[in-house]
Every structure is written in C-alpha cells, then in structure tokens.
Amino acid sequence: AKEEGRNRFHYFTPEMEAVAQQRRRLLNELREALDLQQFEVYYQPILDLQNGRVVKAEALLRWNHPRGQVSPLDFIPLAEETGLIVDIGNWVFAEVVRQLTIWQARFNTELQVSVNTSPVQYQDDNSSKPNWFGHVLTHNGAANLCVEITESLLMEAGRGVADKLLQFRDQGIEVALDDFGTGYSSLAYLKQFHIDYLKIDQSFVSHLTSGSQDLVLCEAIIVMAHTLDIKVIAEGVETPEQKQMLLDIGCDFGQGYLFGRPVPANEFSARWLESQVI
Ligand code: C2E
Ligand code: CA
Ligand code: CA
Ligand code: CA
C-alpha cells in the first residue's frame, strides 16, 4: 500500500503543482473580474475588400488584470470549463449593444459588430438562467449584430442550436462560422444550418502565395460558399499581397493587422467611424 501511495503521487511534480496552483488563482480572479469591472471589449475593423470600407467589426474581449492584460486564449478556455463564460458572454453582449447604440446615434453608422460565442452558451442547462439569447432578442431593437459560432458547436448541435440560429435569423441577427477550415465542417453543416458568413482561418491566409495549395483551397472555399449564398471573410490578413490574392479569388471581406488591430472602443470610433460615413 505504501508503494502504491508513492506511485500514485510519483507523477505529481512540483512543476505540476505550480501550474495547478496558478490555475486556481487565475480561476478565483476570473470569478471576480466581472464584479471588479476588469473586462473590456476591443474592436477590430472588417473591410469590404472591393471598396475598402469598414463595414463590420469583431468584438474581442480583453481582461485588464491589475498585473497586466490576460489573453483571451488563456482565460476563455477556463471560463468555458467552469461555465463562467455564460455570465461573461452575457456581459459582452450587453456591452456591445450599449456601445453600438451610442455609435449609431453619434455617427449614423450601419456598422455591424460580430460577437464570439462558445458552445457552452448554447447548452440547455444554461437556458434557465437569464441568458444572453434573451438579452439579445429583447434589446436588439437598434443593434446590428452578428454572432460568431464555432464548427464544434454545429457538430455537437442538438435541436436547440438550430432553433437558436433560426431565432437569430428572425431577429435580423446574422451568423458567422468562425475559424473555418480548422475543424471538421462539411458541406452538410453549411446546408443544414443557416450561416451567413464563413471566416477563413488565418492559418490558411498566412500561407497564401501564388501557386500555393492554400490559394487553391481558399478559392475552392469561396466558390463553394458563394454557391450556398454565404459570404466569406478572410482572417489574419497581414500583407498587401495577401489582400490582393484574396481580392483576385473573390473573397468578400478582410480582417487583419494590415487594416487594423483590435483597439478600445474610443480608438475604434476615432479611427474608423469619425472619418467615414458608412
Ligand atoms: P478569434 O475569434 O479567431 O479572433 C481572432 C483573433 O486573431 C484575435 O485574437 C485577433 O486579435 C487575432 N488577429 C486579428 N488579426 C490578426 C492578424 O492579422 N494576425 C494575427 N496573427 N492575429 C490576428 P484575440 O483577440 O487574442 O482572441 C483570441 C480568441 O479568443 C478569439 O479568436 C476567440 O476565439 C476568443 N475570444 C475573444 N473574445 C471572445 C469573447 O467575447 N467570447 C468568446 N467566447 N471567445 C472570445
Ligand atoms: Ca471570432
Ligand atoms: Ca477566427
Ligand atoms: Ca478561434
């Protein structure tokens, strides 16, 4: 028994202990972050590639932690595992609707803002809470929203998901399929669910060179999407060459550092809304 005991703990190294401890601490801090108003929504422009106008923006969540900003890549998975993403997601929606209403009044803009959502937010056991769907659906009067969903949501989708996507449609909220090409989406999903946009993942866009396989792939995706009446947004556009190639193969919209990084709301409006009437 003593041997067993020793074996059992054999694998738990001090390093692992440190990781576990760090995770616990981050989790405790994440639980408080909403109350402490440490979250902020950044906005990144999405351009119509044909005319260069900023017609959309993606809302990207930031956690302004006292020790420095924490990347969503580090805290979103934790928020998903613990279900905290439901409350956080509600907050993001409320915040985006609030901001968009202000921008619409001030700039008379038709900017559409897309909001990321996690599969957890669609789970039925979360639907008893006052949830963001209800919020969006009751407060959407003046808003111009798009909901970004992941391929994994469609794969795990029960009936509830298809219903919610239809509800969005009824409310004039569009749906974008994020990170396209990284998961297992097939034509079947695209036909089965009502999708307005495909976002080609940046891993394809970053390898775009003339004659490359990724160029052929991207073009095939775009042709296929257009056949299904779906518009295409390229993510992670960083160079003028990538932008030109995307234009050449008929891509509709572009997003990436070439056009602008995600920035706080006031910076976004100063740079993109004050100077142009959409
Ligand atoms: P995503 O939805 O794929 O968002 C695009 C990510 O690519 C963002 O990272 C953005 O800053 C980054 N990006 C944009 N243009 C470029 C570029 O030209 N080059 C490169 N290398 N990167 C670019 P970010 O802001 O760190 O967000 C990471 C991920 O966190 C998002 O990936 C999304 O999955 C998740 N996330 C962010 N905000 C939310 C949220 O409010 N709710 C949920 N559920 N997830 C969120
Ligand atoms: Ca996204
Ligand atoms: Ca993406
Ligand atoms: Ca992603």
Side-chain angles (χ1 to χ4, degrees):
K2 205 175 171 189
E3 277 301 303
E4 240 173 57
R6 248 165 70 192
N7 282 339
R8 236 189 306 144
F9 295 102
H10 184 79
Y11 300 104
F12 206 69
T13 63
E15 239 168 68
M16 288 162 73
E17 173 59 26
V19 168
Q21 212 173 334
Q22 205 187 351
R23 198 188 123 93
R24 274 195 300 274
R25 185 165 84 165
L26 201 65
L27 180 56
N28 285 332
E29 291 168 337
L30 190 59
R31 286 187 205 288
E32 309 231 284
L34 264 182
D35 284 342
L36 296 175
Q37 300 183 303
Q38 290 172 344
F39 288 118
E40 183 177 5
V41 176
Y42 276 32
Y43 297 85
Q44 185 178 29
I46 299 175
L47 279 78
D48 180 330
L49 288 173
Q50 294 287 341
N51 58 24
R53 303 184 84 77
V54 174
V55 288
K56 303 174 186 298
E58 179 172 3
L60 292 157
L61 186 59
R62 296 291 180 262
W63 180 8
N64 296 319
H65 191 282
R67 284 192 307 274
Q69 222 172 45
V70 186
S71 165
L73 297 174
D74 291 327
F75 72 83
I76 295 282
L78 199 57
E80 289 174 337
E81 282 165 42
T82 55
L84 286 170
I85 194 67
V86 175
D87 287 339
I88 295 172
N90 287 347
W91 180 84
V92 172
F93 261 97
E95 174 58 19
V96 166
V97 170
R98 187 192 67 81
Q99 185 61 67
L100 203 44
T101 307
I102 293 172
W103 282 342
Q104 284 162 345
R106 193 172 299 160
F107 304 108
N108 191 27
T109 177
E110 282 176 35
L111 182 83
Q112 182 190 59
V113 176
S114 62
V115 177
N116 289 285
T117 60
S118 301
V120 185
Q121 291 173 270
Y122 295 79
Q123 276 166 20
D124 286 334
D125 36 317
N126 287 321
S127 61
S128 56
K129 294 188 191 180
N131 62 49
W132 60 273
F133 299 107
H135 185 91
V136 167
L137 300 179
T138 49
H139 289 76
N140 189 38
N144 199 359
L145 295 176
C146 178
V147 166
E148 296 199 7
I149 61 171
T150 59
E151 295 175 311
S152 60
L153 176 73
L154 299 186
M155 297 193 48
E156 300 157 9
R159 264 201 55 196
V161 173
D163 284 350
K164 272 161 191 148
L165 297 189
L166 282 174
Q167 260 180 297
F168 289 151
R169 180 188 214 172
D170 289 343
Q171 300 289 322
I173 299 168
E174 294 195 303
V175 177
L177 185 55
D178 207 354
D179 304 335
F180 189 76
T182 58
Y184 302 92
S185 283
S186 67
L187 278 170
Y189 291 121
L190 298 182
K191 266 180 59 178
Q192 190 180 337
F193 296 95
H194 172 71
I195 306 282
D196 299 285
Y197 303 96
L198 279 190
K199 299 192 77 171
I200 300 184
D201 191 69
Q202 53 191 48
S203 59
F204 292 97
V205 176
S206 64
H207 295 120
L208 278 186
T209 49
S210 54
S212 67
Q213 239 177 12
D214 281 343
L215 184 65
V216 179
L217 248 170
C218 282
E219 187 167 16
I221 292 173
I222 291 166
V223 169
M224 173 197 80
H226 286 169
T227 304
L228 295 167
D229 210 16
I230 295 171
K231 293 222 156 67
V232 179
I233 303 170
E235 304 194 271
V237 183
E238 294 183 346
T239 69
E241 292 75 27
Q242 289 165 355
K243 178 197 159 191
Q244 190 52 52
M245 270 184 275
L246 288 162
L247 252 176
D248 291 345
I249 59 175
C251 188
D252 305 285
F253 302 96
Q255 174 182 358
Y257 296 166
L258 174 66
F259 310 117
R261 289 179 180 258
V263 289
N266 56 355
E267 261 179 68
F268 181 87
S269 60
R271 174 138 183 229
W272 301 108
L273 299 181
E274 275 168 22
S275 56
Q276 105 179 348
V277 181
I278 296 177

